[in-house]
Each structure stands twice: as structure tokens, then as C-alpha cells.
Amino acid sequence: MTKKVLNLKWLTLATVLFVAFSFASCEKDDEDENSDGGGSVSSITASNVVNSVSEISVVKAEIYWEDNNYVGQEDVIAETLYKNSSFTLDLPASVPAKYLEPFWDEEDEEEMDGITVSDKTVNALFEVELGAYDKDDEKIGEFHYQSASDDEEEYEYCGAMWVYVDKDVTVKGQSKDVDEYYNEEYITNYNLTLKKGWNIFYFTETYSYNESTEKEKYTSTISNQKPSGVTLKWYFEDYSDYGYKSATLKSAKSSPEKKIFFSKIKRNRK
């Protein structure tokens, strides 16, 4: 069996937003300063960042979007100082419409079979990257909030993301898909209650392999509720570990966060 190792963004390093570069074990419940269980979250607090380096000076919340000519743009919507391997970043209360994209469109219909969305007119910002900058204002890495365990027969990944919506919306239900060619099964459970403004949601994926059927199974849960028995930790991903210093401009239209909502993660994992 060849196990597929999960990258949270399931894309190449040049276009990834949250690369799962290092993991901590899933442990007992721990108080989550960023968790609210379903309300608006406009502040991101990180402490005791794992793999932190002294070169980090500033943290910036960055977004990637396309203008009316479909040209990729990059903007900073918030920033804060980084001290003692910690930071608190206050996100703007509102987000300009030019940064938002439809939460739902017609091409999502097939992907969301079995899922109920309370308001399909909602617009959202799915793509927020927490960039780390040095004193010369050069981007040297990024931050991720995650936890995972790994063994020979089962793989579990847990991570958190921030999304902005311009209306309240709920997403409930379960989607299933079977890839007969690769003998893989994908199950995604949605239990989201998003309030107008910023929200945090948790993405958990468990991998298992059935030796008798040789089938690989990925079971995902996307929810506002922090998974029980899981401790999320903040990690710094140093770009120099991969031989590059600055991020490549990304297209908001191919936002990996939106793909998580619409069960498209498998297409980038093969």
C-alpha cells in the first residue's frame, strides 16, 4: 500500500496556501483561544509557535483575488508585530465586495449532492494566508493552525481555517464519492453555521486502508465545532526549507478553501 500524505492545500508548494509541513499528535482537548463554536471570529491569536525563527518581525493577513480583467492581485488586509513566538491579528470588520466570490455556483451542484445550503446567494472570502515577514519586509514563510497523527494503517489530519461571509449561512449534510479507477472512497460531512463576518471552521480527515478490498477511504468532517480529543498547534513554515523566499501569486478562482467546501480535494491529491 502506498499511503497518500495529505497536504492541507493539496497543491504544489508554489501555489499552496497552507502546506502541511510538520505535524503534532492529536492529544487531549485543549482550550482553543480561536474557537467560538459557530459565531463570528475577527481576531486570530497564536502563541508558542512551533518552528519559530528569530527573523520573523511582522505577520500579514494576505488575500489573492482577480480584478475585472482576471488578473491576479495580492492585498494585505491586516498586519501585526510578531513577538516571543506569538501574535494577535485583528481582521477588518468588513471586507470589500471586490474580494468576495459566490459561495455557490451552478458548477457546484453535482459536487454538493446530499448537501443543503441555506442561502445560495452568499458571497465569501475563502482565501486568507498568514504570511511571515522579516525586518526588511521580505516574506520568509507562513503560519498554519493544525494537528495530526500518522501510523501504518490510519491517518488523521486536523486543521483550522478562517472564512468571511456577507450573510449568515448554514451548510449541512453528507456527500459521497467513489473513484473506481483508484479504488478510493470519499465521504465528507458538513456541519457549518457561519455568521456574517469572519468565522473559523475545522477540517478533519481520517484515512484508512482495507487490506481485504485494497480500498483507501477518506472521511472528512467540516464543522464550526472543534473536534474532541484534538489539540491544534501553530506552526511556522519556513520557505527557505523549500528553496524559495516569496509566494507565487495565486488565482482566487481556484481557491483551495472553496474546494474543501465543495468536495474537490481528491482531484489534487493523486
Side-chain angles (χ1 to χ4, degrees), residues 58-62 76-80 89 128-133 137 139 143:
V58 174
V59 180
K60 298 183 182 183
E62 302 168 309
V76 174
I77 59 172
E79 61 181 88
T80 189
L89 184 70
V128 180
E129 180 177 295
L130 299 179
Y133 286 76
D137 202 34
K139 190 171 185 179
F143 298 95

Side-chain angles (χ1 to χ4, degrees), residues 33-253:
E33 297 178 55
N34 295 287
S35 175
D36 76 313
S40 182
V41 179
S42 59
S43 183
I44 301 175
T45 299
S47 59
N48 301 315
V49 176
V50 180
N51 299 329
S52 179
V53 296
S54 60
E55 289 79 8
I56 305 173
S57 179
V58 174
V59 180
K60 298 183 182 183
E62 302 168 309
I63 58 175
Y64 303 87
W65 57 287
E66 288 181 351
D67 60 23
N68 292 333
N69 296 317
Y70 303 104
V71 176
Q73 305 289 337
E74 174 184 346
D75 284 338
V76 174
I77 59 172
E79 61 181 88
T80 189
L81 295 177
Y82 184 82
K83 295 181 179 180
N84 301 320
S85 299
S86 305
F87 67 86
T88 295
L89 184 70
D90 294 321
L91 298 167
S94 61
V95 174
K98 67 179 182 179
Y99 296 144
L100 305 180
E101 60 177 309
F103 191 89
W104 179 279
D105 53 45
E106 291 182 0
E107 69 179 30
D108 297 318
E109 292 284 350
E110 182 177 351
E111 297 290 343
M112 293 294 282
D113 184 32
I115 307 302
T116 299
V117 178
S118 64
D119 187 343
K120 296 179 181 180
T121 68
V122 172
N123 294 304
L125 171 62
F126 295 94
E127 200 164 333
V128 180
E129 180 177 295
L130 299 179
Y133 286 76
D134 63 17
K135 61 182 179 59
D136 297 319
D137 202 34
E138 182 175 9
K139 190 171 185 179
I140 59 175
E142 56 194 71
F143 298 95
H144 314 292
Y145 193 36
Q146 61 189 38
S147 177
S149 66
D150 195 6
D151 61 38
E152 290 299 320
E153 298 301 327
E154 185 170 347
Y155 179 90
E156 183 172 84
Y157 173 86
C158 315
M161 299 180 190
W162 278 259
V163 60
Y164 177 92
V165 291
D166 64 357
K167 299 178 185 178
D168 294 356
V169 63
T170 60
V171 185
K172 307 285 185 178
Q174 184 183 84
S175 65
K176 295 183 179 181
D177 190 19
V178 176
D179 189 325
E180 295 182 356
Y181 182 83
Y182 287 96
N183 198 20
E184 296 173 339
E185 181 179 13
Y186 301 89
I187 299 175
T188 305
N189 300 293
Y190 297 83
N191 182 26
L192 284 171
T193 300
L194 304 178
K195 302 295 185 181
K196 180 180 178 180
W198 291 98
N199 297 261
I200 184 174
F201 72 86
Y202 300 91
F203 173 78
T204 303
E205 178 173 270
T206 299
Y207 167 92
S208 60
Y209 177 74
N210 187 316
E211 291 187 357
S212 62
T213 63
E214 298 184 341
K215 176 177 286 187
E216 295 177 285
K217 183 178 180 179
Y218 297 87
T219 303
S220 304
T221 299
I222 299 172
S223 174
N224 297 98
Q225 302 298 322
K226 179 176 176 288
S228 62
V230 172
T231 297
L232 302 182
K233 296 183 179 181
W234 281 96
Y235 291 85
F236 168 65
E237 177 195 5
D238 192 337
Y239 284 170
S240 64
D241 291 342
Y242 304 102
Y244 66 98
K245 282 280 189 177
S246 59
T248 300
L249 196 61
K250 295 173 285 291
S251 167
K253 298 303 181 183

